[in-house]
Amino acid sequence: MRKASPHSHGLSAADACVVRAELLAWYDDNRRLLPWRGDGVEESGAKRRRVRTPVSPYGVLVSEVMLQQTRVETVVNYYSRWMQKWPNCAALAKASEEELNAAWAGLGYYRRARMLKAAAEQVHVQRQGHFPESAEELKQLPGVGDYTSAAVASIAFGQNVPVVDGNVLRVVSRMRAIVQRPREKVGRLRSGEMEAEARANRRFHRRCTTPLGSSWRFWWEKMGRKARNLAWRGRAT
């Protein structure tokens, strides 16, 4: 196995294929059912059943903004109520500040709600309802940065844009014993990465049962004692 460069994740094309395949397989079997991923509930009398619903770029944007600084478990109900009240950009663009504040109460960071409305207004008025599809176009919306634009572009439009945050950097760094932060910053794959981050143990463990467990154990054995110590203590981040 070739030595990892301090400026690279050190994965060969074959390594990347293995990691990608394991992550996607784990995600399909273990992913949480969430409304912004197209997991809906249909009620018929006293019966409830899960149904697939379309994944909209607007819905993905709303979820990504709500999930900033907020746990998934908290966001689910807020998201469902929000989408029932304002199902698209045109509806949100007409919302009053009082309505926004009432719907956002409890989530904190109210500026996020104002930025969401500003983004909806731009799509509805300036773009005549056309939602931007590329990460670069999405970054032109108010309040949308690198991470959010990449998440929406990849999940909603299937664009091959990496979605990288501190959790991804920590996982990859510990897998490959990277001491320096990597400089590199598509729907299911990106969702799988975020799901893995959310559900993995904070401590890197040899008996890890989260996604990529077998890959992590393989790299763990190959790292060498010094590299393992760095990874274990979190210095790889």
Side-chain angles (χ1 to χ4, degrees), residues 96-167:
S96 68
E97 185 173 351
E98 291 74 17
E99 289 177 311
L100 283 180
N101 290 339
W104 203 267
L107 285 177
Y109 301 98
Y110 285 83
R111 181 177 180 275
R112 292 182 294 168
R114 294 194 294 271
M115 289 296 98
L116 258 180
K117 182 188 176 183
E121 288 173 339
Q122 186 175 123
V123 171
H124 178 58
V125 178
Q126 298 180 24
R127 300 181 64 90
Q128 292 78 50
H130 174 70
F131 208 96
E133 298 184 13
S134 71
E136 288 305 313
E137 286 182 307
L138 284 159
K139 281 191 284 189
Q140 296 175 17
L141 296 179
V144 176
D146 291 340
Y147 181 89
T148 301
S149 63
V152 176
S154 60
I155 295 172
F157 296 108
Q159 300 289 323
N160 191 8
V161 185
V163 180
V164 180
D165 67 358
N167 291 319

Side-chain angles (χ1 to χ4, degrees), residues 9 11 167-178 182:
H9 54 51
L11 292 177
N167 291 319
V168 174
L169 292 176
R170 280 188 288 274
V171 168
V172 174
S173 295
R174 290 175 184 180
M175 279 181 64
R176 306 300 288 124
I178 300 172

Side-chain angles (χ1 to χ4, degrees), residues 55-72:
V55 176
S56 73
Y58 166 73
V60 176
L61 176 62
V62 171
S63 70
E64 288 297 326
V65 174
M66 285 186 171
L67 287 166
Q68 295 168 7
Q69 310 294 324
T70 310
R71 294 176 60 84
V72 169

Side-chain angles (χ1 to χ4, degrees), residues 11-66:
L11 292 177
S12 67
D15 294 338
C17 285
V18 171
V19 172
R20 185 181 296 114
E22 290 196 14
L23 175 58
L24 289 174
W26 175 89
Y27 175 69
D28 288 341
D29 290 339
N30 297 278
R31 75 181 187 85
R32 292 167 294 181
L33 299 177
L34 300 170
W36 50 86
R37 290 179 179 169
D39 302 309
V41 176
E42 186 178 79
E43 298 188 10
S44 178
K47 295 182 179 179
R48 291 162 57 91
R49 68 185 185 92
R50 296 196 176 277
V51 295
R52 292 295 297 169
T53 58
V55 176
S56 73
Y58 166 73
V60 176
L61 176 62
V62 171
S63 70
E64 288 297 326
V65 174
M66 285 186 171

